């Protein structure tokens, strides 16, 4: 099956307007903001409906960066007003079609974690280690959403050794894997400067340690 890639509701609106203009309009022109989000989703929803016509699509990934490493980009109240309603509609359509719905956002999402789960996503990526503690996220979200990623791109995958990659994957599976709900992956998209040996170490370690029942002690 293919995993379709569509979304960028929040990201599309602010990039079309520019961040400064967007932030001013949140305060001064809320109706303009509403119309911008409605227009972007009108386009994205047509794409989603077309995607869901293909039996070869097994899941839909919805990327939309909501945060920096230290905090959300805008207030949670704005996300709840303008963004999350569209996420819920998206998730409902994907779920009714019998597919999985995956979500991607960089950054620190602690304050909207419950909102993201409540929208109905099946999994969340990439749980950046510089922004969130994946063990704590697993504790809060266990059984409600699968966590994908978290293997560090800041050092391990980019500048570390294959042995260090192997050790980090093993540790992540040991601490987050029990009970299921974790999928090994990098802490963002794999860039071209990740050494092939490290990428292969990531892949091979996932197969080596990620089989149930887990035996990592």
């Amino acid at each position: 099956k293919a995993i379709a890639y569509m979304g960028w509701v929040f990201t599309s609106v602010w990039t079309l307007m520019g961040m400064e203009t967007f932030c001013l309009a949140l305060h001064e022109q809320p109706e303009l903001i509403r119309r911008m989000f409605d227009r972007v989703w009108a386009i994205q929803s047509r794409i989603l409906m077309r995607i869901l016509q293909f039996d070869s699509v097994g899941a839909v990934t919805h990327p939309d960066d909501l945060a920096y490493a230290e905090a959300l980009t805008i207030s949670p109240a704005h996300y709840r007003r303008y963004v999350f309603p569209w996420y819920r509609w998206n998730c409902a359509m994907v779920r009714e079609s019998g597919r999985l719905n995956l979500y991607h956002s960089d950054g620190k999402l602690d304050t909207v974690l419950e909102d993201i789960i409540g929208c109905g996503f099946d999994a969340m990526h990439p749980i950046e280690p510089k922004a969130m503690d994946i063990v704590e996220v697993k504790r809060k979200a266990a059984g409600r959403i699968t966590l994908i990623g978290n293997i560090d791109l800041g050092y391990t995958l980019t500048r570390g050794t294959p042995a260090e990659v192997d050790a980090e994957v093993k540790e992540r599976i040991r601490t987050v894997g029990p009970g299921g709900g974790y999928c090994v992956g990098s802490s963002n998209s794999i860039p071209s400067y990740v050494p092939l040996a490290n990428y292969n170490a990531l892949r091979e370690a996932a197969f080596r340690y990620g089989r149930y029942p887990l035996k990592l002690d």
Side-chain angles (χ1 to χ4, degrees):
K1 296 286 186 176
I3 299 177
Y5 191 88
M6 57 81 61
W8 301 114
V9 176
F10 168 65
T11 306
S12 294
V13 172
W14 80 254
T15 52
L16 284 167
M17 300 179 72
M19 181 57 79
E20 183 176 355
T21 300
F22 171 76
C23 289
L24 289 170
L26 281 172
H27 177 67
E28 298 173 354
Q29 297 177 283
E31 182 55 29
L32 172 62
I33 295 295
R34 167 62 66 192
R35 292 176 64 186
M36 288 291 292
F37 276 105
D38 287 351
R39 179 59 176 159
V40 166
W41 186 246
I43 296 169
Q44 294 288 6
S45 61
R46 289 198 298 271
I47 296 171
L48 178 62
M49 292 298 97
R50 186 169 297 178
I51 286 171
L52 295 180
Q53 293 175 11
F54 293 92
D55 292 337
S56 57
V57 173
V60 177
T61 293
H62 190 114
D64 212 7
D65 292 338
L66 303 184
Y68 304 110
E70 297 81 15
L72 296 175
T73 306
I74 60 174
S75 165
H78 293 313
Y79 288 129
R80 289 164 186 153
R81 181 176 182 182
Y82 298 114
V83 179
F84 295 149
W86 294 125
Y87 286 2
R88 287 193 290 272
W89 188 91
N90 171 91
C91 288
M93 293 300 101
V94 175
R95 188 184 309 110
E96 288 177 10
S97 75
R99 275 88 160 192
L100 295 174
N101 211 353
L102 318 178
Y103 180 68
H104 165 93
S105 174
D106 297 342
K108 186 175 178 63
L109 301 170
D110 306 64
T111 53
V112 292
L113 177 62
E114 290 300 323
D115 296 276
I116 292 170
I117 294 171
C119 287
F121 290 105
D122 296 292
M124 184 171 68
H125 171 269
I127 326 295
E128 291 183 288
K130 65 181 179 181
M132 292 191 290
D133 178 353
I134 194 171
V135 175
E136 179 63 14
V137 176
K138 174 69 181 288
R139 186 187 68 79
K140 293 178 179 178
R144 296 187 293 157
I145 194 168
T146 292
L147 307 180
I148 305 174
N150 196 247
I151 305 303
D152 184 37
L153 279 164
Y155 169 76
T156 313
L157 284 170
T158 50
R159 295 173 291 151
T161 65
E164 288 174 308
V165 174
D166 183 277
E168 183 166 327
V169 171
K170 182 178 181 180
E171 176 63 13
R172 203 66 74 251
I173 292 173
R174 186 187 70 81
T175 56
V176 190
Y182 174 61
C183 178
V184 173
S186 62
S187 61
N188 211 306
S189 302
I190 296 285
S192 59
Y193 49 84
V194 167
L196 180 59
N198 284 0
Y199 175 78
N200 283 332
L202 169 70
R203 181 177 57 82
E204 291 163 4
F207 287 123
R208 182 179 302 115
Y209 305 119
R211 299 185 184 280
Y212 288 87
L214 299 177
K215 299 177 181 179
L216 298 169
D217 295 330

